[in-house]
Amino acid sequence: MTIIDVFQSSLPLFITFICILGLLVGSFLNVVIYRLPIMMENDWRQQCDELNGKESTAVEFNLSTPRSRCPHCNHAISALENIPVISYLFLAGKCKQCSAPISMRYPLIELLTGILSAMVAWKFGFSWACLGGLFFTWALVALTFIDVDHQLLPDSITLPLVWLGIFFSFFSVYTDLHASVAGAMAGYLSLWLIFHAFKLATGKEGMGYGDFKLLAALGAWLGWSLLPSIVLLSSLVGAVIGITLIVFRQHQRDIPIPFGPYLATAGWIALIWGNDINAAYLNWTGMS
């Protein structure tokens, strides 16, 4: 019996394997979330130097170089200190060398990625839909936390996500090709129109272009019919969290709150329960 046969015959074993895989990917996503914005900023500076005729002084910095180190004592993180969640617990949340506290965010992102990955495996089982759902989930996790930190949704993630969604639609994994292309177009244009209408009315920019591309990606994966549910759910979640931040944490009204995490959350919920949500809404309104 091959490993494929084992996974096909035992859903609990497959879910466990995917959960462990998700924990490992979550550790890598921590690197992406921290390093990708810095890589983009370095690239922008290098382009500016080239335009100004200056010699670039940038040092090599990417997802693998330099090696991860403690920001306090520069201690190089070994493989045993980088085991998802377990290493954090074993080290009691402190650097092995200098005992400086390690942010709890790292194991939380690993746990979140593992749990969400396991839920994708539970939903789709051993299938191509599960494989695509994992890539979809991991991309959304990275985008969410990059946007929280930098109010930025990198094209290097959103644009491949659009094309990957259209690719899966060729095989009608989540939706058909026509619904996918229409979803990508409608997702981008709907927020683009809202953006310009808001700017025309207030003179301010209410969101970034990355949000347009993210909603286009969600439309490409899930089809145009789920876009209203995604936008409504993300708006409700965003409004509740925004008001909570203003009231309880004295968040200043003029400080922007990124919309990308709410879109990503709503998009992932739509991946797992979107059709059920649509069916329940149509039944409730009597339109089914």
Side-chain angles (χ1 to χ4, degrees):
M1 180 178 289
T2 66
I3 189 66
I4 294 177
D5 295 328
V6 171
F7 286 156
Q8 287 178 331
S9 61
S10 176
L11 182 60
L13 184 62
F14 179 61
I15 292 174
T16 301
F17 170 78
I18 293 299
C19 183
I20 295 172
L21 176 63
L23 292 172
L24 295 171
V25 172
S27 181
F28 172 71
L29 292 183
N30 276 318
V31 176
V32 174
I33 291 164
Y34 173 72
R35 295 196 178 201
L36 184 56
I38 298 176
M39 291 164 54
M40 295 173 65
E41 184 177 351
N42 289 344
D43 185 54
W44 296 334
R45 287 180 177 176
Q46 184 175 359
Q47 292 179 32
C48 290
D49 288 341
E50 291 176 357
L51 289 173
N52 292 323
K54 297 180 181 179
E55 184 176 352
S56 176
T57 58
V59 297
E60 185 177 9
F61 187 90
N62 51 48
L63 296 180
S64 60
T65 305
R67 184 175 170 181
S68 296
R69 296 178 179 273
C70 171
H72 301 280
C73 68
N74 210 34
H75 165 66
I77 307 300
S78 67
L80 288 177
E81 297 171 68
N82 208 27
I83 301 173
V85 181
I86 296 176
S87 291
Y88 183 88
L89 296 175
F90 182 77
L91 294 169
K94 297 178 181 180
C95 171
K96 179 181 178 181
Q97 186 71 24
C98 68
S99 297
I102 301 171
S103 173
M104 194 174 181
R105 171 168 155 168
Y106 295 113
L108 287 179
I109 289 177
E110 292 164 355
L111 275 174
L112 175 66
T113 308
I115 292 170
L116 296 182
S117 299
M119 291 185 69
V120 170
W122 162 79
K123 172 68 176 180
F124 297 108
F126 187 80
S127 64
W128 289 110
C130 179
L131 178 63
L134 291 174
F135 283 114
F136 182 82
T137 298
W138 299 337
L140 293 184
V141 171
L143 288 170
T144 292
F145 288 96
I146 291 174
D147 205 20
V148 167
D149 290 341
H150 302 280
Q151 288 76 56
L152 176 71
L153 294 169
D155 285 352
S156 55
I157 299 178
T158 54
L159 296 183
L161 198 60
V162 173
W163 294 114
L164 192 58
I166 294 175
F167 170 79
F168 274 96
S169 74
F170 271 101
F171 308 98
S172 299
V173 176
Y174 307 101
T175 188
D176 61 77
L177 181 59
H178 289 87
S180 174
V181 173
M185 294 172 61
Y188 188 93
L189 290 175
S190 59
L191 290 190
W192 183 88
L193 290 172
I194 293 172
F195 169 87
H196 284 284
F198 182 82
K199 186 175 181 180
L200 184 64
T202 66
K204 299 179 181 179
E205 296 184 354
M207 64 184 72
Y209 278 71
D211 297 318
F212 313 165
K213 299 167 190 174
L214 177 54
L215 189 57
L218 300 180
W221 279 80
L222 305 173
W224 63 268
S225 63
L226 285 179
L227 287 178
S229 298
I230 292 172
V231 172
L232 179 60
L233 181 58
S234 60
S235 299
L236 289 174
V237 173
V240 171
I241 294 178
I243 293 171
T244 302
L245 288 174
I246 291 172
V247 173
F248 293 101
R249 297 186 58 183
Q250 297 182 342
H251 187 93
Q252 298 181 17
R253 296 173 184 269
D254 57 345
I255 298 177
I257 299 175
F259 189 50
Y262 310 131
L263 281 175
T265 301
W268 189 85
I269 291 173
L271 173 73
I272 305 298
W273 296 291
N275 291 329
D276 296 331
I277 292 172
N278 264 7
Y281 173 76
L282 292 175
N283 286 331
W284 178 67
T285 58
M287 298 173 62
S288 60

